Amino acid sequence: MTGIDARAARRATREDRRVVLHAHRAGYLALRGITRLGRVVRVPGLGVVVSDAARMRQILLDPVTYSKVGPGGSDRLWTPIIGPRGLLNMDGEEHAHLRRKLTPLFSQRFLRSIVDEVLTPEMDRFEDAVGRREDVDVVAVIERAAALIICRLTGYPEDDAAAQLARAREILGFVTLTTKEFSDAQLAVVHEKLAVLNASTRAAYRAAAPGTVPALMRAEGITEEDTVSVVTAMIVAGTETIVSFVPRFTNLVIESGHLDHLARHPEDVPAAVAEAMRVTVPSPVMIRSVLRDHRVDGVRVRAGERIILANIFACARAGDFDPSRPVPKEMRQLWFGAGAHFCIGMPLATLEAEVFAAALARAAAAAGPVRVRSRVRKQRTMAASYSRLVVRAERTT
């Protein structure tokens, strides 16, 4: 793999950090200031902030000392939305048992069949549009593709795809980097949006259409209520991962000049996607509740407190976007977590990202250099990204 232009990579990385700043100005600036004080910092009234990748991995791999469930844990935020058994707000043996039941849903064979059926035709249309040298909004492309995939997975009607994605996005709109819980007014709106999603999930569970998540969960003996919780978590927390990542990936590889390399060397697409995940960090902050008194790098931590894992700043320590540089061992895939709660949706998100990246590389190889024509950053949103990112292939002289 060839190297990358350091100056262009720095500009591209700085632009991506501006995307995060626009989405989480107060929380981002506060956390950045805290992490500059040290890699493990106690903040009165907030908790202990950790921004060292090695320490973060140790914490995520220690279920005896830390939990997602408990005072200050992330379950306090998600349980009112997805119910008590949505996987991402569970812990212990109950969590492990449900996760084992869901494993067949994320096999490469099953996911590949879904992607080939739904995403590949969308990418063919994307390539054709770029090949005709049209202005193409990457955000619109991936939003439609992700919505169609989630409808295919959940058994929702395809013509309801855009509406379901919009409802999930409205729910996420109440979440910031520092949100601990929802207000009563917010919960009222959330439950109104969830009522429609949940009704669709129940209908899909009862219909049990072959090859859908509700049908597979029903076949595994998982109850309708638990299916509703898991599917809601998948839609609300999972879909936005790929929708936010793809435009940021696109901007990174174009502005850094790396897309020209991928057009010549499509075999390097997986490395580019992995490095872009490291820069964009799908899980920018992770929260754990402390179960026993101890010390982290000399900082005293008490039972009942919370640990804030500033993943976005830990991953940033590896430097600017550069797919030619190996990711430090302690940082590998940390953007998806580690241990028992390593993101179960990682295989799907990675597959979707690589299929898009390969299509973008093919389009650049066939149509000539692809450039960003315009971009609009999202503001005050949980999933930092662009609301519009228009690209176009330029003619070569």
Side-chain angles (χ1 to χ4, degrees):
M1 182 185 294
T2 61
I4 194 168
D5 184 290
R7 193 174 301 175
R10 182 171 298 119
R11 287 196 300 267
T13 304
R14 286 177 176 173
E15 163 58 22
D16 194 76
R17 288 171 185 162
R18 284 192 286 270
V19 171
V20 182
L21 183 61
H22 273 69
H24 309 290
R25 179 169 294 275
Y28 178 81
L29 292 175
L31 276 178
R32 187 177 69 180
I34 292 166
T35 59
R36 286 177 174 176
L37 297 175
R39 300 195 178 203
V40 182
V41 181
R42 167 177 291 285
V43 182
L46 185 65
V48 175
V49 178
V50 180
S51 59
D52 177 80
R55 294 292 174 268
M56 285 175 54
R57 190 173 292 278
Q58 289 174 355
I59 289 168
L60 293 170
L61 294 175
D62 183 359
V64 175
T65 308
Y66 309 96
S67 173
K68 291 193 84 170
V69 178
S74 56
D75 66 306
R76 302 300 173 92
L77 176 64
W78 292 113
T79 298
I81 299 179
I82 63 176
R85 292 175 54 81
L87 197 65
L88 59 80
N89 61 332
M90 299 168 64
D91 224 331
E93 181 52 40
E94 192 176 42
H95 168 267
H97 176 73
L98 181 56
R99 188 179 175 106
R100 284 193 296 270
K101 289 272 190 178
L102 296 175
T103 299
L105 307 182
F106 296 94
S107 69
Q108 278 297 314
R109 182 178 179 182
F110 176 64
L111 296 179
R112 187 81 241 183
S113 69
I114 297 294
V115 166
D116 287 345
E117 177 186 337
V118 179
L119 187 57
T120 299
E122 294 298 313
M123 293 302 96
D124 288 344
R125 282 188 278 273
F126 168 69
E127 282 187 63
D128 289 344
V130 175
R132 293 191 298 269
R133 294 185 172 81
E134 298 176 0
D135 283 353
V136 182
D137 183 4
V138 172
V139 175
V141 169
I142 197 59
E143 282 185 349
R144 172 177 163 77
L148 289 173
I149 284 178
I150 205 66
C151 284
R152 173 63 182 80
L153 282 169
T154 58
Y156 292 177
E158 186 176 301
D159 58 6
D160 199 26
Q164 298 291 26
L165 183 62
R167 292 184 189 103
R169 182 164 291 157
E170 287 180 74
I171 293 169
L172 271 182
F174 292 119
V175 184
T176 69
L177 282 180
T178 55
T179 302
K180 295 181 181 179
E181 59 185 7
F182 294 106
S183 67
D184 291 341
Q186 288 173 331
L187 280 177
V189 176
V190 166
H191 289 154
E192 179 185 346
K193 305 298 178 187
L194 283 176
V196 181
L197 289 172
N198 293 348
S200 296
T201 303
R202 293 182 191 282
Y205 184 88
R206 293 164 190 173
T212 64
V213 170
L216 291 170
M217 293 182 74
R218 180 173 171 173
E220 285 291 323
I222 299 172
T223 68
E224 182 175 306
E225 288 303 315
D226 286 354
T227 299
V228 167
S229 289
V230 171
V231 170
T232 301
M234 182 187 303
I235 295 170
V236 173
T239 307
E240 199 67 18
T241 297
I242 193 66
V243 171
S244 62
F245 172 76
V246 163
R248 292 171 69 181
F249 168 84
T250 302
N251 194 76
L252 275 170
V253 294
I254 291 177
E255 295 302 314
S256 66
H258 194 63
L259 181 56
D260 296 335
H261 171 81
L262 294 180
R264 299 188 303 274
H265 300 280
E267 69 276 9
D268 289 341
V269 158
V273 168
E275 172 66 353
M277 290 280 187
R278 196 269 307 172
V279 172
T280 61
V281 195
S283 297
V285 173
M286 295 177 284
I287 308 294
R288 291 295 184 269
S289 179
V290 179
L291 302 180
R292 64 179 180 85
D293 293 358
H294 64 292
R295 289 182 179 274
V296 179
D297 281 2
V299 177
R300 185 179 180 186
V301 184
R302 303 177 181 85
E305 289 188 320
R306 69 174 184 165
I307 290 276
I308 300 170
L309 307 177
N311 207 5
I312 186 171
F313 296 104
C315 290
R317 295 188 193 281
D320 297 325
F321 177 73
D322 185 356
S324 69
R325 178 189 56 224
V327 175
K329 181 180 178 181
E330 68 277 7
M331 204 174 288
R332 289 176 189 167
Q333 293 194 322
L334 193 63
W335 41 91
F336 281 117
H341 287 281
F342 183 79
C343 178
I344 195 171
M346 183 278 290
L348 177 58
T350 302
L351 181 58
E352 289 178 286
E354 290 181 356
V355 169
F356 172 85
L360 180 62
R362 287 194 301 270
V370 176
R371 299 292 179 254
V372 175
R373 302 261 299 170
S374 65
R375 59 192 174 215
V376 179
R377 306 181 193 106
K378 287 185 177 181
Q379 298 195 33
R380 295 182 293 278
T381 176
M382 178 58 183
S385 191
Y386 296 96
S387 58
R388 183 174 172 82
L389 186 86
V390 177
V391 301
R392 186 172 186 169
E394 296 180 349
R395 296 184 184 277
T396 55
T397 55

